[in-house]
Amino acid sequence: MSDPILELLESAKNACDELPEKLFIFPLTENVIFPDVMMPIVVSPGPMLEQVKRAQTHSDYLGFLWGKGDDPTRMRPADLARVGCVGRVIRMARMPDGSYTMIVHCVKRMKIISFLKSDRLIAEVEYLSDVLVESEELTAYWRNIQQSLNKFLDMESTAVPRELLSGMIQIDRPSKLADMCAAHFDIPNEKRQEILETLDVRKRLETVYEFLVRELELAALGQKIHDQIRERIEQSQKEFFLREQLRAIRKELGEEKDEIALAVQNYREKIVSSGMSQEAAERAEEEIKRLAVLTPESSETNIIRTYLDWLCDLPWNKATEDVLDLKYAERVLEQDHFGLDDIKQRILEFLAVRKLKPDHQGQIICFLGPPGVGKTSLARSINRALKRKFYGFSLGGVKDEAEIRGHRRTYVGAMPGKILQGIKRVGVRNPVFVLDEIDKLGSDWRGDPSSAMLEVLDPSQNTAFNDHYLDVSFDLSDVMFIATANDASTIPRPLLDRMEIIELSGYIDEEKFQIARRHIVPKEIAEHGMKKEDMQFTPNGLKRVIRSYTREAGVRELERMIAKVCRKNARHIAAGEPPVAKITPENVSEFLGSPIYTDEVISRGLQPGVAVGLAWTQFGGEILFIETTRMPGVGQLKLTGQLGEVMTESVQIAFSFIRANMPLLKVTEEMFAKCDFHVHFPAGAIPKDGPSAGITITTSILSLLLEQPIPERLAMTGEITLTGNVLPVGGIKEKVIAAKRAGARTLVMCSKNRRDVDELAPYIQEGLTFFFVDHYREVYKFVFVQRCKIDLGNLPKNVLHTVKGTAKNAPLQQGDDEEEAEKGAKKNAKNAESTAKTQAVEQKAEDSSDQKTSHEET
């Protein structure tokens, strides 16, 4: 019986002698066809089927061109390639869905000369012949392709059928071999079209061979991966059979021990000894029953055992006993920290309540202050005073709620949140738990961790904290949570409401001196492998480091500078050279280089239009220069310095107040005429906002208009209204410390901030004069009329002048010896007595001047 395919091929060959010069073109979108290839093509009912039928009325030949597109019925000549293949339709077969399958034998390459009818895709064509030049290189490519096909045959799985590969190896014409490889291997259509258009047989073989080499490498890699996976599967099956055989052997010998049964018995014993709650015990029993019916090889077994391990290992009833000795706690706080008297008293009060009522559920403490002021170390001191276990982690950058409340067990690699992880690690249910950087919590599509913290930090809810992983309640009421933050404004309000804020301000130079002398210097000397005799800082040398090389609210930069000095001295000792025994003001620069900061920044002479304000940032207080200038213009106002909306409004309010009160402020309309004003806030790369620069901006503008410079060492802070009232502002302590650090001597602020000044330690107020005002006209008289000339013997009622030191908590000024400290204390006590007498005289003067002031205002 004859093969019909062979008959079709034979009849096609006989008909190849005469090819038509004009062809109906059939667009192809899915494949590129090559000569000597027979392939089926599906023709859907529609324009393309009509095109085929119309072509068969003239000839059995069609031109096939590949084009880029999805719908061949919409293709135009511009969408098609210029080189294709002419093919003869051998047979048409109707399909059940109404479409036709035509068997096409591709005969020869052809090239479009021109399209005669673009709407029907009829073209005049010319036929292309291969360019075959016999050479050794051509023979080498031919043989290499045959060898590559043999390698494909050796592989277990190939993309091309083995029968087709065997037939391709037997091809005796290099051009046909290249076409068959390009037609049957998975080559991109763009590359196939390029091969079809290549008439030079050697180049065509080269392109095909490059692709085959790459395919061989990928196939070899796939075969390697396949072998590895099969090997692992075989190994696991082998282990399973060996275990079963071992179990059977042990059973025959009477030595069988069921691993699951032992685990179940062990977990039941742990549940009893752990003292877990009834809810947790019931949940554990449910999981044990599930474990009992599983095999050791099951993946679910490990998940259940991990869950039971967490339940049993949590300290349900383990706790340390608090040491509530207030004297011992006070001693610990004094040893670890200098100053911070208000903070220490608040901590002792907290411990006292704990002692009188151990089950008291007080508020969560949150230490708020700039970096480096000792927030985390205070928490460690509380822990040392209570002798509890300590655990802490940073919340900075945490954006996933699961970090707090854990992942549900349906997820791969699920585990409890950081809260229960920490409690398990310390092994007790009542540790001191520090939540560092709570103001830097974030949120994204994974949830809002600050919302999860609400349950943790609420004493009325954390008695039944529910972690998503455990899914049972755990009592957190005995945990002493202490949070730290730099900026309260970024903490969500509901979370802030659950904490008691204890603010830590920055340190002044005297406090830094004591902290460095008592804590930092001894620690750094020891950490750098030296002894106290090898190196010591003189008091003046240490003050030089503080004033000339640091300018910060905390002491971290100071610690780095002291460490730098210690490192250089350690190098001398390690090299066998004599160290510098004493660090004095004269030799500090040998270790730290030229001074970074100059003393008394605002003591320099200021030109008209420049005023000094005080600002508060999350890193502590800062001084803020405000500069105003004018130039010819049309009355416009320009602001620079990265200002926020509130500060921009403050500038506009200041201008409006001055324009509305020109007679009072001795300003004329001519000063504003034909001028543009420019207000600039230096450090332009730093964003600035807030209303507290109001009176400073007004003073800067008036200084320019009156052509009077601001007196030296004068700084101010306060919000101004359109009517000239001066409103109180916050951050007074930080601002006063920054002013003193920068060399200010006189500070102007709202009278309602007097209470904040009175709460400052006497040694912070030392050397400063405070001028309290309620309306800007008082600022105007003080700055531009009186020129800040204050008679210390007859102080105005709104001026508070501090004395030089007090007896209590005054830091050492010139030396470390106790005798000098005792002399300073006696002197300070005498000054304090003098201050009390002065205040009595001031009070009497205030009473008599109130009536006079009221009459003047009327």
Side-chain angles (χ1 to χ4, degrees):
M1 186 175 183
S2 60
D3 190 346
I5 300 296
L6 294 177
E7 293 178 358
L8 290 174
L9 286 173
E10 188 64 28
S11 62
K13 290 179 180 178
N14 295 333
C16 286
D17 298 334
E18 295 182 4
L19 296 175
E21 297 178 356
K22 298 176 182 178
L23 291 173
F24 284 88
I25 303 300
F26 189 92
L28 298 174
T29 59
E30 297 182 356
N31 207 346
V32 178
I33 62 175
F34 288 84
D36 297 320
V37 174
M38 179 173 288
M39 63 182 298
I41 298 177
V42 177
V43 186
S44 301
M48 298 311 301
L49 182 59
E50 296 296 330
Q51 179 87 334
V52 173
K53 291 181 179 180
R54 189 178 297 111
Q56 288 183 322
T57 60
H58 296 81
S59 170
D60 290 335
Y61 292 96
L62 285 174
F64 295 92
L65 293 178
W66 176 74
K68 294 182 179 179
D70 298 328
D71 189 359
T73 62
R74 297 183 178 181
M75 286 192 176
R76 293 293 177 263
D79 302 327
L80 300 174
R82 309 304 294 178
V83 175
C85 193
V86 60
R88 184 184 180 194
V89 179
I90 305 299
R91 178 176 295 177
M92 292 281 291
R94 182 182 177 87
M95 307 300 292
D97 61 352
S99 61
Y100 283 80
T101 300
M102 61 179 180
I103 305 300
V104 177
H105 176 246
C106 302
V107 178
K108 197 170 185 179
R109 284 176 170 80
M110 59 91 176
K111 181 179 179 181
I112 301 296
I113 298 176
S114 64
F115 280 94
L116 303 179
K117 290 186 178 180
S118 61
D119 56 336
R120 297 183 181 179
L121 294 181
I122 301 175
E124 181 180 359
V125 301
E126 66 173 339
Y127 297 98
L128 306 176
S129 301
D130 294 331
V131 178
L132 179 62
V133 178
E134 297 290 343
S135 65
E136 294 182 355
E137 190 176 1
L138 182 141
T139 305
Y141 277 122
W142 185 6
R143 291 180 180 177
N144 286 345
I145 291 177
Q146 290 178 328
Q147 292 173 2
S148 299
L149 295 176
N150 279 317
K151 291 180 181 179
F152 278 111
L153 274 176
D154 296 337
M155 294 182 179
E156 294 185 6
S157 60
T158 59
V160 180
R162 294 180 176 276
E163 295 79 7
L164 183 57
L165 286 173
S166 301
M168 291 166 62
I169 294 174
Q170 302 301 323
I171 295 175
D172 56 356
R173 286 191 295 121
S175 60
K176 183 177 180 180
L177 177 61
D179 290 342
M180 293 295 288
C181 290
H184 293 95
F185 278 93
D186 187 15
I187 300 176
N189 284 332
E190 290 82 358
K191 197 68 176 179
R192 281 179 173 170
Q193 182 65 32
E194 180 184 338
I195 296 173
L196 181 65
E197 295 176 1
T198 303
L199 299 180
D200 190 336
V201 176
R202 187 199 63 77
K203 292 183 179 179
R204 196 185 310 167
L205 288 171
E206 179 182 359
T207 304
V208 171
Y209 179 63
E210 289 178 359
F211 174 78
L212 289 180
V213 170
R214 184 168 64 252
E215 282 294 305
L216 273 175
E217 293 177 354
L218 293 175
L221 180 60
Q223 184 70 33
K224 180 180 178 182
I225 295 173
H226 174 75
D227 294 340
Q228 290 175 349
I229 293 175
R230 186 178 63 182
E231 183 180 349
R232 283 201 296 266
I233 294 174
E234 292 175 353
Q235 182 66 24
S236 62
Q237 291 177 344
K238 178 180 178 181
E239 290 177 358
F240 174 77
F241 289 127
L242 288 176
R243 286 197 188 97
E244 291 299 321
Q245 291 176 1
L246 182 61
R247 187 175 299 165
I249 293 171
R250 286 180 174 175
K251 186 175 182 179
E252 292 294 329
L253 295 175
E255 299 177 353
E256 182 182 13
K257 293 183 180 179
D258 191 344
E259 181 181 348
I260 296 296
L262 289 176
V264 168
Q265 179 182 355
N266 185 30
Y267 282 126
R268 286 201 167 106
E269 292 174 357
K270 284 184 177 182
I271 290 172
V272 175
S273 61
S274 66
M276 66 177 63
S277 63
Q278 182 66 25
E279 178 191 7
E282 292 175 357
R283 178 59 61 84
E285 186 61 32
E286 292 176 4
E287 296 297 325
I288 287 175
K289 290 179 182 178
R290 292 181 57 203
L291 180 65
V293 298
L294 296 174
T295 61
E297 295 79 18
S298 173
S299 59
E300 189 71 15
T301 301
N302 293 329
I303 295 175
I304 294 176
R305 296 189 67 167
T306 303
Y307 176 77
L308 291 172
D309 287 337
W310 270 101
L311 275 181
C312 296
D313 292 344
L314 283 174
W316 296 90
N317 59 358
K318 296 178 183 178
T320 55
E321 186 176 352
D322 290 341
V323 180
L324 296 172
D325 185 349
L326 297 186
K327 291 185 178 179
Y328 171 73
E330 187 175 5
R331 241 183 359 259
V332 169
L333 292 173
E334 290 295 336
Q335 290 173 1
D336 293 348
H337 301 276
F338 172 78
L340 305 176
D341 294 332
D342 294 340
I343 311 298
K344 293 175 183 176
Q345 291 302 319
R346 176 63 189 89
I347 293 172
L348 292 175
E349 292 168 4
F350 180 85
L351 299 180
V353 174
R354 284 269 180 172
K355 182 176 182 179
L356 297 178
K357 189 174 175 56
D359 58 345
H360 174 70
Q361 300 298 329
Q363 282 190 305
I364 310 300
I365 294 178
C366 177
F367 292 127
L368 178 67
V373 296
K375 299 184 294 296
T376 306
S377 60
L378 264 176
R380 290 186 178 274
S381 297
I382 295 174
N383 174 70
R384 194 158 75 92
L386 291 173
K387 293 189 176 179
R388 285 191 180 190
K389 295 291 184 68
F390 180 88
Y391 183 81
F393 75 100
S394 176
L395 293 170
V398 173
K399 295 184 178 180
D400 191 353
E401 180 187 359
E403 292 287 333
I404 308 298
R405 305 195 63 164
H407 303 79
R408 299 192 184 278
R409 283 194 292 153
T410 54
Y411 295 103
V412 177
M415 60 191 307
K418 289 287 188 180
I419 303 297
L420 291 189
Q421 286 184 39
I423 290 176
K424 178 189 175 184
R425 184 171 299 179
V426 297
V428 292
R429 57 178 295 171
N430 64 337
V432 172
F433 209 111
V434 175
L435 304 170
D436 214 2
E437 309 291 353
I438 198 171
D439 58 325
K440 295 177 178 60
L441 278 173
S443 61
D444 59 9
W445 57 271
R446 291 169 290 186
D448 185 3
S450 63
S451 300
M453 293 299 299
L454 296 177
E455 183 182 0
V456 175
L457 299 182
D458 193 339
S460 63
Q461 298 183 44
N462 63 11
T463 54
F465 174 70
N466 191 292
D467 187 276
H468 287 162
Y469 180 81
L470 296 183
D471 201 22
V472 295
S473 299
F474 189 88
D475 188 2
L476 297 178
S477 59
D478 290 336
V479 179
M480 187 175 183
F481 288 103
I482 300 176
T484 69
N486 298 130
D487 186 5
S489 64
T490 59
I491 303 176
R493 187 67 190 180
L495 185 59
L496 188 66
D497 186 60
R498 283 163 169 78
M499 300 183 292
E500 179 180 355
I501 302 298
I502 298 180
E503 295 190 13
L504 283 75
S505 304
Y507 299 116
I508 62 173
D509 290 349
E510 287 78 4
E511 291 174 322
K512 290 182 181 180
F513 172 77
Q514 293 295 334
I515 293 170
R517 185 179 68 89
R518 299 182 184 185
H519 303 286
I520 299 178
V521 171
K523 183 189 77 170
E524 293 297 333
I525 289 177
E527 287 186 355
H528 286 81
M530 295 183 291
K531 298 179 181 179
K532 187 177 180 180
E533 299 79 26
D534 295 332
M535 185 185 73
Q536 64 178 349
F537 284 82
T538 64
N540 291 332
L542 192 56
K543 290 178 182 178
R544 179 66 182 277
V545 175
I546 295 169
R547 292 170 181 168
S548 300
Y549 295 92
T550 64
R551 188 63 54 84
E552 57 175 340
V555 292
R556 284 184 181 151
E557 185 64 24
L558 175 60
E559 187 173 354
R560 283 190 281 266
M561 290 298 171
I562 293 175
K564 186 175 182 180
V565 175
C566 293
R567 285 197 304 271
K568 291 183 179 294
N569 241 345
R571 179 182 176 182
H572 288 304
I573 296 175
E577 303 171 1
V580 180
K582 287 189 176 184
I583 308 301
T584 63
E586 290 74 21
N587 60 16
V588 164
S589 58
E590 298 177 9
F591 294 89
L592 302 178
S594 301
I596 302 175
Y597 304 100
T598 58
D599 291 339
E600 301 175 345
V601 173
I602 65 175
S603 63
R604 63 186 185 220
L606 300 178
Q607 64 184 29
V610 180
V612 181
L614 299 175
W616 179 89
T617 68
Q618 60 176 326
F619 303 105
E622 298 286 346
I623 62 168
L624 178 67
F625 287 92
I626 299 176
E627 301 175 351
T628 304
T629 188
R630 59 181 174 177
M631 67 288 293
V634 292
Q636 293 183 348
L637 175 63
K638 184 177 181 180
L639 308 177
T640 53
Q642 280 214 48
L643 307 185
E645 292 184 3
V646 178
M647 187 167 280
T648 302
E649 292 172 356
S650 296
V651 179
Q652 295 170 348
I653 291 171
F655 263 91
S656 297
F657 169 74
I658 294 173
R659 296 290 296 269
N661 296 271
M662 289 190 293
L664 176 66
L665 303 175
K666 309 299 182 186
V667 176
T668 63
E669 183 64 32
E670 288 75 12
M671 297 180 179
F672 291 92
K674 298 181 180 179
C675 288
D676 287 342
F677 290 86
H678 185 171
V679 181
H680 176 61
F681 295 75
I686 302 174
K688 310 168 189 69
D689 202 6
S692 62
I695 64 173
T696 314
I697 297 169
T698 308
T699 305
S700 173
I701 299 170
L702 282 174
S703 172
L704 175 70
L705 295 174
L706 300 176
E707 297 184 354
Q708 291 188 29
I710 306 300
E712 294 181 359
R713 302 176 182 272
L714 172 67
M716 56 188 69
T717 182
E719 180 179 357
I720 191 172
T721 68
L722 277 174
T723 58
N725 292 322
V726 179
L727 303 182
V729 293
I732 292 300
K733 182 177 181 181
E734 290 81 2
K735 292 177 179 178
V736 171
I737 291 174
K740 188 170 184 179
R741 188 189 307 131
R745 292 295 178 265
T746 306
L747 305 183
V748 179
M749 61 186 66
C750 179
S751 61
K752 291 184 176 60
N753 287 122
R754 183 190 292 266
R755 180 186 63 180
D756 300 315
V757 174
D758 292 339
E759 292 176 356
L760 299 177
Y763 60 85
I764 296 179
Q765 302 180 30
E766 179 188 352
L768 295 177
T769 299
F770 297 86
F771 188 76
F772 298 99
V773 298
D774 292 308
H775 194 275
Y776 188 77
R777 60 173 170 265
E778 301 173 61
V779 181
Y780 174 78
K781 292 179 182 179
F782 184 69
V783 176
F784 297 108
V785 179
Q786 299 176 356
R787 301 293 295 166
C788 305
K789 295 179 180 178
I790 302 172
D791 184 2
L792 299 183
N794 186 19
L795 293 174
K797 68 167 187 176
N798 52 353
V799 176
L800 168 66
H801 186 76
T802 61
V803 297
K804 296 183 178 180
T806 57
K808 183 181 180 181
N809 291 334
L812 296 178
Q813 300 298 318
Q814 298 298 331
D816 293 333
D817 58 325
E818 299 298 332
E819 182 178 355
E820 186 174 355
E822 184 177 355
K823 290 180 181 179
K826 290 179 180 179
K827 182 178 179 180
N828 291 335
K830 190 173 181 180
N831 288 335
E833 182 180 358
S834 174
T835 301
K837 293 179 181 180
T838 303
Q839 290 176 348
V841 174
E842 290 176 2
Q843 185 63 40
K844 187 177 293 185
E846 286 179 4
D847 297 338
S848 61
S849 61
D850 281 344
Q851 297 180 352
K852 181 179 179 182
T853 303
S854 176
H855 175 70
E856 289 177 352
E857 291 178 353
T858 302

